[in-house]
Amino acid sequence: MSQTNNPFFKTSIFWKLCCVYDHIVVHTLIRYCSTTSNEFWDALRDILDASGILYSVLADELREEVMNTKPHTLFRVNSGPTSLLSSVFRKEMASLMERHVNPIIHSCNTDDIQLDSPDEHVRTKSIDTVTKYINIHITRFQQMASEIPENLRSIFGIVRDTVDEIFPDSGVSTQILSALFFHKIITPAIITPTKFCSSISTPTDKGRQTLMLLSKIYQTFVNQSDEPFPKEINLHVFNDAIVSEYKRVHDMLDLLSSSTTLPEYHFNKVVSSQLLLRRVPPIITSLESLKPAAVSAIIQPFIDTGFKNLAENLLALTNINIYQKDLAKLDLKKPKDVGIFYDESEELCYTAVIRGYEDTVNMYQKKINKLTEEIFKLNQVIERLDAPIEPKSLVNMNTSPSLTPRKEEKESTKTVNIQEFYISEKIPDEIRCRLITLTSKENQIYDFITKSESTTVLGKCEKFLGVYQKASKCKIEDDAPKISQKDKDKEIKDKDKKDKEKAVAKNKKTCLGILKEAHDNREALMSHLEDTKLTQRIVALTGILDDIIFIFN
C-alpha cells in the first residue's frame, strides 16, 4: 500500500500542511473553498479547536471578510468564514438552542395562524398571537445573549470594532451584528432546526408555517427601517410591534458584543491522531467532490503567493486529477515525496507543546496567587465587620513581611497575627506560590488558636508547633522533622481543670509565640533559593501545618 493511501500518513501530512507558514493552508481553505457541506466545516472546526487556534483564525477571517465585503451583503450570503462561524455556532450554542429555541418551536406547534382568513375574529386572534410571540421571543433572544459563551461574545465584539473602523457611518455595525445574529443563528435554527443543531426539536407542519412567518419578521431587525413591511403586504400589521422592539434589539446586540478579548489558548501542533483520523477524511472527501473550477479557485491563491508546493502536496492527498480541465493550466506536478517541505522535527513539536502548557499553567498560577491575596484581604475585612469594637488592622500588601498587633479576647497580653502576603518578586513563582500557601495556613492556625478553648487541643497544637518550629530552622540539607503517626492518631479529650481559663490563655500565648518564631525562621530559608531541596522543605512545612489544622477540625 502506498503512503498516500495510508490513512495515518494522509491525516498526519494534512495537519503538518496546516501548521506551516502561519497556517496559510487553513486560511486559504476558509477563504476560497466554496463547499457548503457541514461535514467539511465541522471537521475543520474540530481540528482547529483541538490545536487552540480556532478563535484566532476565525477572528482573522471575519476581519478580512468585513474589509472585503460591501456592508449590505455582509453576513447575508454564505462564504467560507461565515460557514466556519455557523459551524462554531452549532457546536457552542447547542445547550442554548435547547433551552431557548425549543420552547419557541413547541409554542408555535400549538397555534393555528391564519392571517388571510376571511373570518375577522380568526384573523385578529392570529395577529394578536404573532404580536405576543414577537415580544416573548425578543425576551428569549436577550436571555440567550446574556448566556452566550465568552468566546462567541469576543467574536461579536471583534466584528463590531472592525465594522466601526471600516464603515464609520452610524448604524452600520448594528445592521451587521443583526445580520450575523438573525441570519446565521435564529433563522437557520427555526427554519432548518435539525440541520442547525441535533438538540433542537422538529416542528410540526403547522409550527413550521408559523416559524417561517416569524423568520420573515425577525429579518426586518437587520435593516430596522421605519416601515419594515409596505402596506401592500399583509405583514404590515406587525410594523408597530416590530419598531417598538428596536430598542431591545439594540440592547441585545450591545450585550452580544460586550467583549473583544479572545480566549487565551496556546497553539498545539501535536493533535490527537484519533481526532485527525476522524476529521481529516471528511475534509479530503469534500475537496474531491468539488468541480475542477472550484478546486482551481482554491489552488490559484497558493500559486499567487508563492506556495505552489503546498498546493501540490495538498492535492497529492486527494484523488483529484491535476491534469483535467481548469487544473491543467496551473501546471501542477505530483510531488515525489509528499510532505518533504516540513522541516521541523517531532521533538521540537513536542517541546513547543510542553512549553505552551507550562506558560498556560504559569498564567493560571499567577491568577491563583492574586485571588489568594484578594481572599485574604476580604477575610480581614469580614473580621473587622464582625468585631467593630476591636478592629483588627488590615494587611498592607505593599509592605515587607511583618506582624500585626491583635488583642486576645480573654487576656490583656497583646499577641501577633501572621500576615505576610507580600513576597519579593525576585522569588521564583513556584516558591512564591508555596510560601503564600504556607502563610495562609499559618493565619488559619492563628485563628484556630485564638478561638479554641480546649487545653488538650492547644497542648497538642503546642507540641506540633514545636516540630514546625524545628523544621523551619534546621539545615536545608537535613531531613525535616515529622509528626509521628502515633501523635496524629491520639484521641483528643478535654479534662476538667480548676484554672482552665488561665491554662487556655497560657497555652494560647505559648502556641502563638512558637508560631511567630517559626514564621520568622523562614527568612533564613530564603537564602537557599538556588537549592533544589528548598521546595521539599516548604512542602514538609506545609504538611506539618496540615496536621495541625487537622487537630482543630
Side-chain angles (χ1 to χ4, degrees), residues 322-381:
I322 62 174
Y323 303 113
Q324 62 183 315
K325 185 181 178 181
D326 292 315
L327 289 176
K329 61 184 180 182
L330 299 179
D331 192 27
L332 299 170
K333 297 179 181 178
K334 287 187 177 182
K336 294 181 180 179
D337 296 298
V338 178
I340 60 170
F341 61 89
Y342 194 73
D343 56 359
E344 190 175 41
S345 67
E346 292 294 325
E347 182 180 356
L348 288 177
C349 286
Y350 283 104
T351 301
V353 172
I354 293 171
R355 190 181 304 114
Y357 278 117
E358 288 176 347
D359 291 342
T360 303
V361 170
N362 288 336
M363 176 192 70
Y364 283 112
Q365 191 62 67
K366 289 178 181 178
K367 290 183 178 180
I368 291 171
N369 291 348
K370 183 177 179 181
L371 290 173
T372 303
E373 294 175 3
E374 291 176 355
I375 291 171
F376 179 77
K377 292 175 70 177
L378 289 173
N379 285 335
Q380 293 281 355
V381 173

Side-chain angles (χ1 to χ4, degrees), residues 510-524:
T510 304
C511 287
L512 293 174
I514 297 173
L515 183 61
K516 175 186 179 301
E517 184 176 345
H519 175 81
D520 293 340
N521 288 340
R522 285 167 43 184
E523 290 297 318

Side-chain angles (χ1 to χ4, degrees), residues 215-226:
S215 71
K216 294 178 182 179
I217 293 174
Y218 296 150
Q219 289 179 38
T220 64
F221 289 124
V222 175
N223 294 324
Q224 296 193 2
S225 61
D226 294 335

Side-chain angles (χ1 to χ4, degrees), residues 154-211:
S154 65
I155 293 296
F156 278 97
I158 289 170
V159 169
R160 165 164 266 175
D161 284 355
T162 307
V163 171
D164 287 338
E165 180 183 348
I166 305 300
F167 309 108
D169 296 340
S170 176
V172 175
S173 61
T174 299
Q175 291 183 9
I176 301 304
L177 290 179
S178 295
L180 192 57
F181 182 75
F182 288 104
H183 286 317
K184 297 302 176 184
I185 298 178
I186 300 304
T187 298
I190 64 177
I191 298 303
T192 55
T194 54
K195 289 184 179 180
F196 186 83
C197 179
S198 60
S199 61
I200 303 179
S201 303
T202 302
T204 62
D205 291 340
K206 185 189 299 183
R208 187 176 291 106
Q209 182 181 0
T210 304
L211 291 169

Side-chain angles (χ1 to χ4, degrees), residues 12 44 51 115 154 194 210 246-247 305 329 389 397 402 424 430 495 532 548:
S12 174
L44 187 60
S51 67
L115 297 178
S154 65
T194 54
T210 304
Y246 286 169
K247 174 64 170 61
T305 53
K329 61 184 180 182
I389 298 176
M397 304 299 292
S402 60
S424 173
E430 182 183 2
K495 296 181 179 179
T532 56
I548 297 173

Side-chain angles (χ1 to χ4, degrees), residues 248-263:
R248 290 210 293 163
V249 171
H250 285 174
D251 293 341
M252 178 194 71
L253 296 176
D254 289 340
L255 187 59
L256 274 175
S257 57
S258 58
S259 173
T260 57
T261 304
L262 287 172

Side-chain angles (χ1 to χ4, degrees), residues 402-418:
S402 60
L403 299 172
T404 304
R406 178 176 178 177
K407 290 186 178 180
E408 279 289 320
E409 294 178 2
K410 296 188 178 181
E411 187 182 18
S412 60
T413 305
K414 288 187 177 180
T415 58
V416 288
N417 188 4
I418 308 300

Side-chain angles (χ1 to χ4, degrees), residues 18-19 32 56 105 134 208 237 263 271 282 300 305 321 327 336 400 402 416 430 443 495 509 513:
C18 291
C19 291
Y32 299 102
S56 60
I105 294 176
I134 295 172
R208 187 176 291 106
V237 294
V271 175
Q300 188 63 53
T305 53
N321 181 4
L327 289 176
K336 294 181 180 179
S400 59
S402 60
V416 288
E430 182 183 2
N443 279 293
K495 296 181 179 179
K509 184 176 180 181

